[in-house]
Amino acid sequence: MKIELKKYNEQLSEWPKSGYHIMAQYDDEKIIVYQSYRKEIGEFAVKNQFFGGAFSLDRMTWIKPNFLWMMYRNGWGTKEGQEVVLAIHLKREAFEKYLQNAVYSSYATELEVSYEEWQSQVKSSSVRLQWDPDHDPYGGKLERRAIQIGLRDEFTRSYSKGDVLLIEDISDFVKEQYEFVQKKELENLLIPAEKPFLFKDEKLNKKLKLI
């Protein structure tokens, strides 16, 4: 795997405890996001290094840069239809483009637009943005918020091929680490090394509640 790993307990003391944070592994060129699929879709993506075959370009696809949040959603790869866990090395500029075009999936007064304006934005945008409670390895809710991004139409097409640098199947790694979770041996748990991600675009950071 081309992912930097680090002990969960070591990272825990470094991570923010609350607030809105894009917890991710990234560098100047890429950011790693996660998805889970049934075998047919996952194996095609790894073999061909793009999303195709049974992957639907007509449905919204959700990406998550936070490993443990993905593990919460897919039950550490045990949920039906989510057995193949993929780490997608995504072009950093593509990730930024998604969020520049993103509209919040639910309305809130702090968005600084009217409900009607928000509805109009939702209709015209092909990217959704959602903040949810982050979770610990056992699935317990945290005060910190985790992001997920929904893509459709031209953004799904762009994501499925041109925006991807590498697709890795990390299912075996996930299974190995899940054993430590089940045994309550978090001192042995290894996960991707993650830290808060910020954009150079301050306006975008503000839109995302990162500052």
Side-chain angles (χ1 to χ4, degrees):
M1 293 194 312
K2 295 187 177 180
I3 298 175
E4 181 192 348
L5 302 175
K6 194 173 178 181
K7 285 281 181 71
Y8 165 73
N9 281 347
E10 288 178 23
Q11 298 193 72
L12 196 55
S13 60
E14 301 166 357
W15 288 345
K17 301 288 187 289
S18 60
Y20 295 80
H21 300 277
I22 299 175
M23 301 301 297
Q25 184 166 140
Y26 59 91
D27 58 28
D28 291 341
E29 282 81 41
K30 68 177 183 295
I31 182 168
I32 297 175
V33 298
Y34 302 95
Q35 291 191 300
S36 290
Y37 286 107
R38 66 181 190 270
K39 198 174 180 183
E40 183 185 7
I41 295 176
E43 288 185 350
F44 180 98
V46 174
K47 181 182 177 183
N48 296 281
Q49 289 298 298
F50 68 89
F51 289 97
F55 177 85
S56 174
L57 292 171
D58 300 319
R59 291 178 58 188
M60 183 165 275
T61 189
W62 291 87
I63 58 174
K64 303 160 182 69
N66 177 321
F67 176 80
L68 283 179
W69 205 85
M70 183 74 253
M71 295 307 101
Y72 163 71
R73 284 306 300 264
N74 68 10
W76 289 86
T78 64
K79 290 186 180 179
E80 187 178 352
Q82 299 192 53
E83 299 88 356
V84 180
V85 187
L86 302 178
I88 298 104
H89 298 241
L90 183 65
K91 291 176 183 175
R92 185 166 163 157
E93 64 264 28
F95 185 71
E96 183 165 0
K97 186 181 177 184
Y98 300 162
L99 286 165
Q100 284 169 339
N101 289 274
V103 174
Y104 279 88
S105 57
S106 56
Y107 180 72
T109 51
E110 67 261 26
L111 296 181
E112 297 180 356
V113 295
S114 69
Y115 182 74
E116 290 72 26
E117 284 176 287
W118 170 77
Q119 279 188 312
S120 175
Q121 289 174 0
V122 166
K123 285 177 185 173
S124 62
S125 171
S126 294
V127 186
R128 294 285 176 277
L129 158 65
Q130 197 166 300
W131 287 105
D132 300 279
D134 205 344
H135 290 77
D136 66 23
Y138 300 124
K141 269 189 189 182
L142 303 176
E143 286 187 41
R144 185 177 63 242
R145 292 273 165 165
I147 199 170
Q148 64 171 329
I149 302 139
L151 309 172
R152 69 177 184 188
D153 300 333
E154 72 272 21
F155 286 95
T156 303
R157 291 190 287 275
S158 176
Y159 169 75
S160 66
K161 223 168 195 178
D163 296 344
V164 169
L165 296 168
L166 174 69
I167 302 174
E168 293 188 278
D169 183 348
I170 61 168
S171 308
D172 289 342
F173 166 74
V174 167
K175 283 177 190 169
E176 289 165 7
Q177 299 309 309
Y178 186 41
E179 287 185 20
F180 296 126
V181 176
Q182 290 175 301
K183 294 174 183 174
K184 294 187 166 50
E185 296 176 357
L186 293 191
E187 68 277 7
N188 295 319
L189 178 62
L190 271 175
I191 65 168
E194 295 180 349
K195 58 188 177 183
F197 179 95
L198 280 172
F199 295 97
K200 291 175 183 174
D201 182 347
E202 293 297 311
K203 191 176 176 183
L204 181 55
N205 288 331
K206 188 178 179 184
K207 168 188 170 180
L208 300 173
K209 308 179 191 177
L210 301 176
I211 55 172

